[in-house]
Structure formats: structure tokens, C-alpha cells
């Protein structure tokens, strides 16, 4: 049976390199998300500044990670999580202004195709909670990106989170995993990741041109991009779903 060891980016340059490779492989098709204001300004530096929070689940036998989990400590009010989910975590963690950091903000879990559907991402969620406990924090907050929402870009997120599968479980597998790992679904984070870029940016990512203003689905996007030819800008406002966890006991 495979045994996993939890390490971090801080442990060795090789592990940092493997973590970057896994993140890139998991997210390359969604590269437009790297261009939210917060992501572009702070993300990579933040991961290096908090290298001890960038977890790698390493296969004991091969010595190579099967999952990477990114999180950062920040100050937050668990009862007042804002609509600007993911971008807000990154901006708050980067501009902390001396506030007491009381929570871990989960930013991403990346699992290579080969290792999906085996529960390693759920294990990573448990490791976030364990890390929060070790650091003496109150818990973990996560603006979760529903993994199947991209198939339904025109369905409002409020409707989508109410969908069930034929067993009466949450329809979305990744929301289901967060719930199964003990997370409490709080509410949608309606403006979690906002990418506002010239129309030419969206033409590049989609490989098509836009000759009319309107809402267009893009591969991997959870909602359509709103293209406005008068201003020459395309705006993508991705909703995520807030989950909260107490620190592991
Ligand atoms: C989303 C993502 C992280 C999920 O990774 P994963 O390892 O497949 O996810 P999970 O750990 O949740 O897998 C759980 C599934 O595996 C099954 N499973 C198999 N063996 C298991 C075990 N020993 N323990 C738990 N679950 C197991 C479960 O039954 C469950 O499926 P179900 O809910 O239909 O029952 C992965 O697809 C990914 O990296 N995607 C690209 C990046 C991304 O979108 N990340 C998420 C946003 S941050």
C-alpha cells in the first residue's frame, strides 16, 4: 500500500521544483487565471515567503509528490467572509499590516491526472487542517473552485451548489470532497477571481476573435467572459464557494 509523507517547498530545492512542475501541469489550461490583479502582483512571492505552508504529499517509494497544496496564513473574520474570495486571501496575506494571522487561507490543491480519484486531495485538505493546528491557528478557509462548473458556465452559482447527484450527494465532486473532509459550506464567493484584460488577451486564450459585444463561454471558465467592444475589455468574474474548517483536533 502506498504511504505518503508530508513535506513542504521549504524542505529542498528539488521538492520546490517538483511542486512547481505539478502546479503547472494541473493549471496550464487555465493560465488566464494567473492574471487576476492579486495573482499577478503577489502570488509567486507569497508562496516563497510562506514556503513552509506549501505542502507536498510525497510517495514514500518514488520520493516524488502526488499532490501539492498551497495555503497562506492571514487575518480573517470567519463570520464575515467577503465576496472577493481567492483574490482577497492573496491580497490580505500579502498586505497584512501587522494584524494577527488567525487562519490558513487555502489557495490551491493540484493533483496530477494519474493520481486523481484516489483521495489524495482529500488527504491534502486534512493536512491543511493539521497545519493550522500545529501553527496554533483557529482554522482554515477555502474559496473552492467547483471542478465541474466549467461544463455549465451559464448556470448561476447559487443554483449550481444546490444540485445533487443520483445518490443525493452534492453534485460537484470537488465541493463534495470538501464537505466529506469536514468542511462547512458557507456561501458563494461571487467575485473570487477577477480577470479584466484587453479583448486581445481573450482572443489569445480562446483562439477566436470577437466581433460583437456579449457573454462568451471560454474553455475551463466557470462563467462566461463579458466582452465589451466599446471599451475594448473582456471581464471574467469567477465565483467560488467558501468553505470553513476548524483546525484539526
Ligand atoms: C480537483 C482535484 C484537486 C481533485 O483531486 P482528487 O485527488 O481526484 O480528489 P479527491 O481526493 O477529492 O478524490 C476523491 C474521490 O476519490 C475516491 N477515492 C478513491 N479512493 C479513496 C480513498 N482512499 N479515500 C478517499 N477517497 C477515495 C472518492 O470516492 C472520491 O470520489 P467520490 O466523491 O465520487 O466518492 C484534481 O482533480 C486537480 O488537481 N484538478 C486540477 C486543479 C484544480 O482544479 N484544483 C482544485 C481547485 S483548488
Amino acid at each position: 500500500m502506498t504511504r505518503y509523507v508530508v513535506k513542504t517547498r521549504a524542505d529542498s530545492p528539488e521538492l520546490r521544483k517538483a511542486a512547481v512542475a505539478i502546479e503547472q501541469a494541473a493549471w496550464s489550461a487555465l493560465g488566464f487565471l494567473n492574471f487576476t490583479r492579486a495573482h499577478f502582483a503577489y502570488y509567486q512571492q507569497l508562496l516563497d515567503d510562506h514556503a513552509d505552508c506549501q505542502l507536498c504529499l510525497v510517495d514514500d517509494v518514488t520520493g516524488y509528490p502526488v499532490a501539492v497544496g498551497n495555503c497562506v496564513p492571514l487575518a480573517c473574520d470567519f463570520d464575515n467572509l467577503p465576496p472577493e474570495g481567492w483574490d482577497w486571501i492573496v491580497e490580505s496575506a500579502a498586505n497584512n499590516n501587522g494584524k494577527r494571522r488567525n487562519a490558513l487561507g487555502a489557495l490551491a490543491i493540484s493533483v496530477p491526472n494519474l493520481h486523481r480519484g484516489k483521495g489524495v486531495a482529500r488527504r491534502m485538505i486534512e493536512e491543511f487542517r493539521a497545519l493550522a493546528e500545529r501553527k496554533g491557528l483557529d482554522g482554515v478557509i477555502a474559496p473552492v473552485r467547483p471542478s465541474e462548473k466549467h461544463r455549465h458556465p451559464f448556470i448561476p452559482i447559487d443554483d449550481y451548489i444546490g444540485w445533487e447527484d443520483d445518490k443525493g450527494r452534492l453534485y460537484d465532486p470537488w465541493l463534495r470532497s470538501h464537505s466529506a473532509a469536514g468542511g462547512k459550506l458557507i456561501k458563494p464567493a461571487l467575485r473570487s477571481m477577477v480577470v479584466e484584460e484587453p479583448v486581445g488577451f481573450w482572443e489569445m486564450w480562446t483562439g477566436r476573435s470577437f466581433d460583437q459585444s456579449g457573454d462568451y463561454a471560454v474553455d475551463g471558465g466557470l462563467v462566461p467572459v463579458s466582452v465589451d467592444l466599446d471599451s475594448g475589455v473582456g471581464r471574467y468574474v469567477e465565483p467560488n464557494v467558501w468553505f470553513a474548517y476548524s483546525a484539526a483536533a
Side-chain angles (χ1 to χ4, degrees):
M1 196 179 130
T2 313
R3 288 162 54 104
Y4 301 118
V5 188
V6 180
K7 298 193 174 180
T8 78
R9 262 188 190 223
D11 287 329
S12 72
E14 290 74 23
L15 213 44
R16 182 182 181 284
K17 187 174 167 193
V20 170
I22 288 176
E23 288 155 21
Q24 285 187 1
W27 292 95
S28 57
L30 297 172
F32 60 87
L33 291 176
N34 294 351
F35 294 88
T36 78
R37 208 179 64 84
H39 196 304
F40 192 69
Y42 304 119
Y43 190 58
Q44 293 307 331
Q45 187 62 47
L46 207 50
L47 300 194
D48 283 337
D49 289 349
H50 300 279
D52 65 322
C53 294
Q54 312 320 318
L55 306 184
C56 302
L57 203 55
V58 178
D59 182 320
D60 206 13
V61 176
T62 66
Y64 204 79
V66 296
V68 173
N70 304 112
C71 61
V72 286
L74 80 162
C76 92
D77 174 357
F78 279 79
D79 295 326
N80 245 324
L81 296 173
E84 295 82 10
W86 194 96
D87 285 342
W88 172 79
I89 289 182
V90 170
E91 288 194 9
S92 305
N95 303 309
N96 183 57
N97 297 328
K99 286 188 274 219
R100 188 178 87 81
R101 297 182 194 254
N102 62 326
L104 272 185
L107 292 169
I109 294 181
S110 310
V111 178
N113 265 326
L114 176 67
H115 302 297
R116 290 184 189 170
K118 300 176 188 169
V120 292
R122 287 188 192 178
R123 167 75 188 273
M124 187 57 89
I125 299 170
E126 287 167 22
E127 295 301 335
F128 283 162
R129 297 182 74 185
L131 178 63
E133 175 71 12
R134 286 199 299 280
K135 285 184 167 292
L137 305 174
D138 300 334
V140 180
I141 53 170
V144 177
R145 183 171 205 274
S147 58
E148 291 297 304
K149 173 76 171 73
H150 68 101
R151 297 185 194 280
H152 312 281
F154 291 96
I155 300 292
I157 190 76
D158 284 305
D159 293 349
Y160 183 77
I161 62 175
W163 286 8
E164 294 180 345
D165 70 3
D166 52 12
K167 295 179 187 150
R169 312 177 303 172
L170 279 168
Y171 167 80
D172 187 89
W174 191 220
L175 298 183
R176 193 158 71 228
S177 281
H178 277 270
S179 175
K184 185 172 173 208
L185 191 161
I186 308 290
K187 61 184 176 186
L190 292 174
R191 299 186 294 278
S192 193
M193 299 190 85
V194 178
V195 182
E196 195 169 62
E197 286 292 321
V199 172
F201 170 95
W202 295 106
E203 291 184 335
M204 180 183 68
W205 278 105
T206 57
R208 58 160 295 171
S209 53
F210 300 101
D211 50 16
Q212 273 184 14
S213 294
D215 291 346
Y216 295 89
V218 292
D219 282 353
L222 305 191
V223 291
V225 178
S226 289
V227 171
D228 178 11
L229 292 184
D230 291 336
S231 62
V233 167
R235 187 171 155 84
Y236 173 80
V237 182
E238 176 170 299
N240 291 161
V241 183
W242 276 121
F243 274 75
Y245 298 80
S246 55

